[in-house]
Amino acid sequence: MKILLLFLALLATLAPGAAQPTRPKPAARPITNIPQLTDSITRIMRREHIPGLMLAIVSPDPAERFVGGLGLSDVEHKTPVTANTLFRIGSVTKTFVAVGLMQLVEQGKLSLNDEVRKLAPEIPIDNPWEATDPVRVVHVLEHTAGFDDMHFNHVYNSTPTDPRGAAAVQVFRKELRCRWRPGERMSYSNPGYEVAGYLLEKLSGMPYEQYLSQHLLRPLGMPDATAELRPASNPNLKLAQGYKYEDGQYQRLKLLPIYAGPAGSMSASAADMDLWVRFFLHDFRAPDGKPLLRPESLREIETAHSPLEARAGLAAGYGLANMAMSTKGNALFRGHGGGIDGFRSTFAYNRELGRGFALSNNGDQSTSSIDKVVREFLLRQAPAPPAPAAAPALDAAAVAPYLGHYQNVSPRNQLMGLSDYLLGDEQLVQRGNLLLLQPLLGQADTLVPAGGLTFRSPRARLASTVLTHDHDGHRMLVTSGGYLQEASATWWWVRPALFALSLLLLVTASVAGLVWLVYAVRRLVPRSQVLPRVLPLLATAALIATFAALASLARHMWHAGSLGPETVLLSLSPIVAAVFSLAGLLLTLRYFSRFRSRTVAWYLLFTYGALGWLIVALGTYGWLSLRLWGV
């Protein structure tokens, strides 16, 4: 997808058109009360095609509090959102599971440093570093085990039954492979939270949703929340309908269960999330004052423990289902976001100010615009932070060994690592007292010194980038966007150059293939040369079908796991492309001497070489072994 988006962006930059002068927008009036806030949010919802929103705002000031809904939970039936309408909150579920496991830690049933294999040897973890670096509980909670994220066919469960317990973990046996040494790099992995949920079940003796209900939801007095995998099938639940806005209208989405329940099955209302925000603001105490966890556990949850950036002193990393939600503005909010088909959610709080909020929309739209206005409302009277001190002088001598080229070594999903491979590395260069992280194409990121080998973005308050080494001594550049490892300064341009050349050869060979096909019909091309000339066109068509199927499946993820056009194309098209390319190469070599034009013969060999390189790259990142119509 990144490749497709890059191509479209390049086309956009080449499109003709005169630049139009823009008028400065008038300054927006500050929002000072709840009616103004909800009016502003309603305008955003209308503009961004969000049918309904649940919203909970917590503040020490009663005039700033809000628990309720805006818009419609069901567009067709004109059902309004209320304080008790349930929304699927996706990955915000992880915050409940992490708190549940911390309760077991306090009870002495496990520790964060316990080895997962010793607690549950039945979990199918493939860890090449098991002898020296086993996967520990803390690694699955902070996404540092090195696991892959969910494969396409392991997201939504379109079957009538749900695997439970150890059987649910087995669904993710392919994802539970450590791609690097556990505890080094954070890469978001929903299967890791399936493991966390299984540990919660095994050590508590009850299903994770039952544990959460008994030990968190009921003690907190949450009136509506449930972790049921199939809330839509429960007629007693007031569940909002999820939508996508397409073709000028709202399209209803089927509310399917997910396989990784502990990673995202929770449904909650504004009334529920109001209590969840208060729980974090009040040091893990229930409304009656009873502590459900010690304050020290809250600090553990907010702390990144094991990855490289944490060891190097950065404080803005991902903790135990807890992260910095925004590093800009007057104050820092922590919490978690969530996304599940049809719904997008945010849970955020600031303990120092005693303020927080939670929201979810049922239009499958980003929450960023609404998050921003709510944060600004809550922080409008917060004391302005001290003016940032002048950036310390760059330690040029310490930085010098790190200047050079870097490659991404922490793709969230191994399949998606292909785009980073094809598009090339990034270059770290010094410009005066600043560093620039420059991709081959696009705008550079500016890094401002924050002390030692840590850096921040120009508008951020916290350092989010560090220069360090991994366990094997490789130089690493760790940013909020991932983990970059030193790469060859000589060959950094080769892969993107080969990719560009390959695309050029495939486009021209496809056009030529159409012409040669016409010539073949008119018998103007020798029979032995027809297939060598036409097969590049067919192989390219198979590759295009691969990415078209991927784009379609991304919009209809629930089709994965069952036999259908997208899953068949995505699984078979790369193999078909490989077969056509190999057959064409062999035929070209066999009949090479019969070509009247050696230029054409060599051109075909180069084209098959380009196809071969692309197909080897696809195979390296797992695209030739997909089987998406089963689990």
Side-chain angles (χ1 to χ4, degrees):
M1 296 301 291
K2 285 173 65 177
I3 299 169
L4 177 61
L5 291 173
L6 176 66
F7 180 66
L8 293 176
L10 288 173
L11 288 180
T13 62
L14 298 175
Q20 299 295 323
T22 58
R23 297 179 180 179
K25 293 182 180 180
R29 289 185 299 174
I31 297 172
T32 60
N33 55 53
I34 289 293
Q36 290 177 354
L37 177 65
T38 55
D39 183 62
S40 178
I41 292 173
T42 300
R43 289 198 299 272
I44 294 172
M45 292 171 62
R46 192 179 305 118
R47 182 178 72 238
E48 299 187 2
H49 305 294
I50 296 173
L53 182 86
M54 69 90 157
L55 177 64
I57 300 176
V58 178
S59 170
D61 182 354
E64 293 181 344
R65 298 173 190 164
F66 182 88
V67 181
L70 302 172
L72 301 175
S73 66
D74 189 303
V75 172
E76 291 78 12
H77 296 92
K78 308 296 183 186
T79 308
V81 178
T82 71
N84 298 105
T85 303
L86 286 167
F87 281 67
R88 303 181 82 184
I89 58 174
S91 287
V92 179
T93 305
K94 295 178 175 70
T95 65
F96 291 82
V97 172
V99 168
L101 271 176
M102 287 304 295
Q103 287 181 322
L104 299 188
V105 168
E106 288 191 0
Q107 296 167 22
K109 295 183 178 180
L110 78 161
S111 77
L112 290 177
N113 285 320
D114 281 347
E115 298 177 22
V116 172
R117 188 174 296 278
K118 291 182 179 179
L119 292 173
E122 64 275 19
I123 296 178
I125 294 176
D126 178 8
N127 178 15
W129 298 271
E130 183 67 33
T132 57
D133 298 271
V135 175
R136 302 181 186 277
V137 174
V138 67
H139 298 153
V140 299
L141 290 176
E142 63 182 9
H143 302 294
T144 58
F147 297 152
D148 216 357
D149 204 358
M150 297 176 294
H151 294 177
F152 300 128
N153 53 330
H154 296 163
V155 181
Y156 293 106
N157 181 7
S158 58
T159 70
T161 57
D162 300 303
R164 304 308 306 263
V169 179
Q170 285 290 334
V171 169
F172 301 98
R173 59 198 176 276
K174 293 183 179 179
E175 289 94 326
L176 299 181
R177 178 179 61 85
C178 299
R179 295 174 289 160
W180 47 77
R181 193 182 304 274
E184 265 199 357
R185 311 171 200 168
M186 184 272 179
S187 182
Y188 200 90
S189 171
N190 285 286
Y193 266 79
E194 179 61 43
V195 172
Y198 178 71
L199 293 176
L200 183 62
E201 293 186 349
K202 182 174 183 177
L203 297 172
S204 70
M206 62 181 73
Y208 78 92
E209 64 267 43
Q210 183 180 338
Y211 179 91
L212 296 180
S213 177
Q214 184 172 324
H215 294 277
L216 284 176
L217 307 184
R218 290 179 187 171
L220 288 173
M222 290 186 173
D224 309 298
T226 175
E228 287 184 33
L229 284 169
R230 298 176 182 266
S233 64
N234 188 337
N236 298 319
L237 299 179
K238 300 176 182 178
L239 182 65
Q241 171 63 45
Y243 295 91
K244 274 186 181 294
Y245 190 80
E246 292 181 341
D247 302 323
Q249 59 184 345
Y250 290 111
Q251 307 284 347
R252 291 175 71 94
L253 298 176
K254 191 173 182 180
L255 305 182
L256 290 172
I258 57 175
Y259 282 110
S265 69
M266 184 72 70
S267 299
S269 66
D272 296 318
M273 294 309 295
D274 174 69
L275 292 166
W276 192 240
V277 173
R278 292 175 186 274
F279 180 53
F280 276 76
L281 292 176
H282 298 158
D283 292 332
F284 282 158
R285 292 182 179 274
D288 61 5
K290 179 182 177 181
L292 301 186
L293 270 182
R294 293 193 293 266
E296 306 88 81
S297 293
L298 178 53
R299 287 190 286 274
E300 291 281 348
I301 283 175
E302 292 180 342
T303 301
H305 293 73
S306 67
L308 292 174
E309 66 272 26
R311 299 179 213 169
L314 291 190
Y318 188 100
L320 313 182
N322 191 284
M323 59 185 168
M325 298 298 288
S326 174
T327 58
K328 302 173 183 176
N330 290 1
L332 175 70
F333 282 83
R334 298 197 66 89
H336 210 286
I340 192 169
D341 217 46
F343 298 85
R344 295 291 182 271
S345 308
T346 298
F347 154 63
Y349 66 92
N350 179 292
R351 290 197 287 128
E352 289 73 20
L353 298 175
R355 288 169 164 82
F357 66 96
L359 57 87
S360 182
N361 76 71
N362 62 338
D364 207 40
Q365 299 288 354
S366 168
T367 64
S368 59
S369 298
I370 300 176
D371 288 350
K372 184 174 184 291
V373 298
V374 174
R375 277 199 313 270
E376 290 176 348
F377 171 71
L378 289 174
L379 297 177
R380 72 192 188 285
Q381 295 178 336
L394 182 70
D395 188 342
V399 166
Y402 291 92
L403 300 179
H405 293 87
Y406 288 83
Q407 59 185 344
N408 181 19
V409 290
S410 61
R412 176 169 169 175
N413 185 298
Q414 192 65 17
L415 292 173
M416 297 297 104
L418 176 65
S419 60
D420 293 312
Y421 174 79
L422 294 177
L423 296 179
D425 305 330
E426 298 185 71
Q427 184 178 13
L428 185 67
V429 298
Q430 181 181 346
R431 291 289 184 270
N433 197 49
L434 305 175
L435 295 181
L436 298 180
L437 185 59
Q438 177 69 62
L440 184 64
L441 296 172
Q443 189 172 0
D445 291 329
T446 301
L447 304 178
V448 179
L453 292 175
T454 64
F455 302 83
R456 61 177 175 83
S457 62
R459 297 176 58 192
R461 296 185 298 109
L462 295 179
S464 59
T465 300
V466 65
L467 300 173
T468 185
H469 289 79
D470 65 11
H471 183 276
D472 299 314
H474 299 116
R475 293 186 183 92
M476 300 288 293
L477 192 161
V478 184
T479 74
S480 57
Y483 297 76
L484 306 179
Q485 187 180 89
E486 61 181 344
S488 169
T490 304
W491 303 106
W492 66 274
W493 53 270
V494 170
R495 281 180 277 115
L498 282 175
F499 180 52
L501 178 61
S502 298
L503 289 181
L504 178 63
L505 286 170
L506 265 58
V507 170
T508 57
S510 297
V511 174
L514 291 172
V515 174
W516 284 327
L517 191 60
V518 173
Y519 283 5
V521 171
R522 299 174 64 181
R523 300 189 179 185
L524 299 176
V525 174
R527 182 176 300 178
S528 62
Q529 296 178 24
V530 171
L531 280 178
R533 294 172 186 251
V534 172
L535 283 174
L537 168 64
L538 300 181
T540 301
L543 291 178
I544 292 173
T546 299
F547 290 102
L550 175 61
S552 178
L553 197 62
R555 295 193 304 270
H556 309 97
M557 191 62 71
W558 54 89
H559 290 172
S562 58
L563 193 65
E566 295 106 325
T567 55
V568 171
L569 275 176
L570 197 52
S571 297
L572 298 185
S573 292
I575 298 174
V576 170
V579 171
F580 284 162
S581 300
L582 180 60
L585 174 63
L586 295 176
L587 288 170
T588 303
L589 290 172
R590 180 177 179 181
Y591 297 113
F592 187 86
S593 61
R594 300 187 186 181
F595 279 82
R596 284 185 234 169
S597 171
R598 290 300 172 88
T599 301
V600 171
W602 280 107
Y603 170 73
L604 289 173
L605 284 181
F606 278 118
T607 301
Y608 285 120
L611 281 166
W613 178 69
L614 288 174
I615 289 165
V616 168
L618 286 170
T620 301
Y621 286 90
W623 288 86
L624 297 184
S625 57
L626 295 175
R627 183 182 177 276
L628 299 180
W629 50 81
V631 177

